[in-house]
């Protein structure tokens, strides 16, 4: 055979003489290329075909994501590809997974738990389909399922967004959405831990696929919240001067009166002593929070006296459950029903309440009923009030007479007056010599024993809560025959209709007050100890001192 250029030009070619050889060569070349291509595909897919789903490990993290996003993360980390219908998987969302490294098979099982979907590996493909009734009979029901629920505030019935829901001793954890709803993969009898800042952590055993959780406010959370009566604000962002006390702190110092408790807890809250009234239970105390005020009461400008001040110009503003109330109502308030007290001291109170808050504001929140089974509580306490007379260092009868005698009380320059004074001196000296020494300040006082009884019934379910309260408070003053009896009845009803919440609060108060018929205590401190309240026959005197002229017999 000639393979020269001349042979090619002259047409002397092997392919011209033997055309079948060219066809055979082309077929062999095509076959070799096909075999090489198939071999490359086999080599490329041998990593997936040669391994099952249970042998390939993957580590991903899911935070409230849907199934499609989870599948994409698995595909990006493994050689597997998923085949599915979008209509079958689009409704599976709120998936959370953070269990570390696991096999693809276990991961897919966990993601599809509780759904009507099943999966199957075909080479490097994972096929997700709906399970037929026959498959459902052969395959056991998965342990995990989608648990849904809503987290509420037990007091206000408001939904709590951002609360943490986790499986106890597990890795799954989710957060509630803006409406307080959550979805989590859990099994029946698993224990869920629900927590949120300012609330007590609650443990709930999963008994059904739909749950309703009510979190109780933590007692310590009141330390970080300022209640102004109009809104509640975090203490770290509240710029005014304020102090908040919960029910436990109030009951530690006084179980009788909220004003007395605040006086002991906050030095800025002052109750100036009223020496004229003493411990009269029917007299309201003076309350001073921001110092004295000497401004004229302009609301009484028509009065001719320009210095006609209002009865309590220094008294702060009292807010009870969001509404302004009187000092008398606060003084008669039942301590067992108080949840918290907030004292607003500075100009921040004026910014909220205007000129009415110029003397400060006392904001009181009452306890609300708690949902659940019917609960009945009863409280009773007794109080003892005893007069403390140790601070009165008064003269006795002989000391008082000698003081008057040395100060020339019984001497006068006019003769007719001197005769009268001599009679007085002789009568008083005779009483002292006879041993008359009356302790007048002990005569109108006694030991007062008071009592208080409180009966409270509360309950509710779902969207309705109720509470009934009855209180009887008897205060016995140290002045004889002085007392104050207060009977209070209260009913509270709260119900929620869709997104609206209604509250009905009715309070009835009955007071019966008795002042002492023996006058004021100040009068007894001014009586002379050589006077006796009794006659020689033991009867009461009409006049404490009767001086008779021995010659005329006249007084």
């Amino acid at each position: 055979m000639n393979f020269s250029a001349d042979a090619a030009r002259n047409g002397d070619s092997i392919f011209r003489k033997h055309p079948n050889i060219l066809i055979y060569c082309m077929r062999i070349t095509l076959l070799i290329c096909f075999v090489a291509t198939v071999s490359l595909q086999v080599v490329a897919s041998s990593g997936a075909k040669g391994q099952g789903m249970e042998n390939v490990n993957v580590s991903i993290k899911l935070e409230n994501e849907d199934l499609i996003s989870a599948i994409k993360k698995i595909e990006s980390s493994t050689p597997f590809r998923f085949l599915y219908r979008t209509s079958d998987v689009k409704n599976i969302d709120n998936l959370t997974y953070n269990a570390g490294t696991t096999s693809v098979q276990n991961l897919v099982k966990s993601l599809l738990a509780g759904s009507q979907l099943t999966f199957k590996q075909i080479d490097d493909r994972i096929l997700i389909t709906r399970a037929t009734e026959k498959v459902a009979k052969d395959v056991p029901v998965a342990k995990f399922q989608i648990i849904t629920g809503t987290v509420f505030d037990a007091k206000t019935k408001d939904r709590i967004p951002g609360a943490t829901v986790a499986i106890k001793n597990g890795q799954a954890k989710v957060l509630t959405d803006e409406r307080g709803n959550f979805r989590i993969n859990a099994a029946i009898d698993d224990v869920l831990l629900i927590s949120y800042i300012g609330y007590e952590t609650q443990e709930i055993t999963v008994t059904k696929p739909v749950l309703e959780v009510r979190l109780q406010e933590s007692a310590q959370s009141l330390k970080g919240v300022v209640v102004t009566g109009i809104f509640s604000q975090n203490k770290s962002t509240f710029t005014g001067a304020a102090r908040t006390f919960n029910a436990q702190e109030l009951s530690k110092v006084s179980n009788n009166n909220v004003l007395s408790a605040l006086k002991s807890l906050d030095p800025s809250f002052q109750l100036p002593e009223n020496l004229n009234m003493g411990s009269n239970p029917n007299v309201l105390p003076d309350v001073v929070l921001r110092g004295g005020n000497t401004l004229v009461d302009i609301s009484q400008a028509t009065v001719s006296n320009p210095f006609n001040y209002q009865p309590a110009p220094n008294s702060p503003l009292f807010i009870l459950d969001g509404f302004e109330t009187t000092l008398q109502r606060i003084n008669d308030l039942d301590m067992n029903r108080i949840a918290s007290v907030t004292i607003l001291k500075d100009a921040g109170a004026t910014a909220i309440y205007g000129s009415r808050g110029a003397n400060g504001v006392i904001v009181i929140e009452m306890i609300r009923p708690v949902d659940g089974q019917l609960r009945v509580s009863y409280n009773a306490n007794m109080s003892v009030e005893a007069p403390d007379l140790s601070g009165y260092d008064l003269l006795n009868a002989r000391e008082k007479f000698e003081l008057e005698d040395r100060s020339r009380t019984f001497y006068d320059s006019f003769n007719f007056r001197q005769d009268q004074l001599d009679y007085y001196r002789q009568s008083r000296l005779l009483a002292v010599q006879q041993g008359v020494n009356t302790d007048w300040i002990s005569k109108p006082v006694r030991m007062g024993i008071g009592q208080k009884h409180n009966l409270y019934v509360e309950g509710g379910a779902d969207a309705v809560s109720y509470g009934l309260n009855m209180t009887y408070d008897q205060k016995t003053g140290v002045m004889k025959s002085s007392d104050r009896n207060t009977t209070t009845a209260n009913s509270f009803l709260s119900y929620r209709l869709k997104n609206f919440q209604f509250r009905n609060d009715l309070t009835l108060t009955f007071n019966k007050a008795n002042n002492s018929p023996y006058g004021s205590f100040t009068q007894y401190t001014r009586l002379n100890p050589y006077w006796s309240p009794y006659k020689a026959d033991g009867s009461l005197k009409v006049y404490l001192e009767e001086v008779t002229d021995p010659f005329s017999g006249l007084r």
Side-chain angles (χ1 to χ4, degrees), residues 501-543:
Q501 185 170 2
F502 302 90
R503 293 178 180 175
N504 299 327
D505 195 348
L506 175 64
T507 301
L508 300 177
T509 303
F510 304 93
N511 290 321
K512 182 180 180 181
N514 296 313
N515 291 321
S516 175
Y518 299 102
S520 66
F521 183 77
T522 306
Q523 297 174 342
Y524 292 86
T525 62
R526 299 172 181 174
L527 297 180
N528 293 318
Y530 42 70
W531 291 343
S532 175
Y534 304 103
K535 297 180 181 179
D537 58 359
S539 60
L540 290 174
K541 289 182 178 180
V542 177
Y543 302 100

Side-chain angles (χ1 to χ4, degrees), residues 95-130:
L95 298 176
T96 299
Y97 189 85
N98 189 19
T101 302
T102 184
S103 65
V104 176
Q105 183 177 6
N106 292 336
L107 177 58
V108 177
K109 282 183 179 180
S110 177
L111 296 178
L112 300 182
S115 65
Q116 300 296 326
L117 302 179
T118 184
F119 65 95
K120 180 180 180 182
Q121 179 184 358
I122 303 176
D123 295 333
D124 62 338
R125 301 290 191 268
I126 299 176
L127 179 63
I128 298 178
T129 59
R130 285 191 172 275

Side-chain angles (χ1 to χ4, degrees), residues 328-339:
Q328 183 68 68
R329 174 76 186 279
I330 300 300
N331 191 53
D332 294 334
L333 202 60
D334 182 14
M335 288 280 293
N336 297 318
R337 303 305 309 149
I338 296 178

Side-chain angles (χ1 to χ4, degrees), residues 42 45-56 80 121 123-124:
V42 171
S45 62
S46 60
K49 288 184 177 180
Q51 302 183 63
M53 296 173 57
E54 67 278 2
N55 298 324
V56 178
F80 296 107
Q121 179 184 358
D123 295 333
D124 62 338

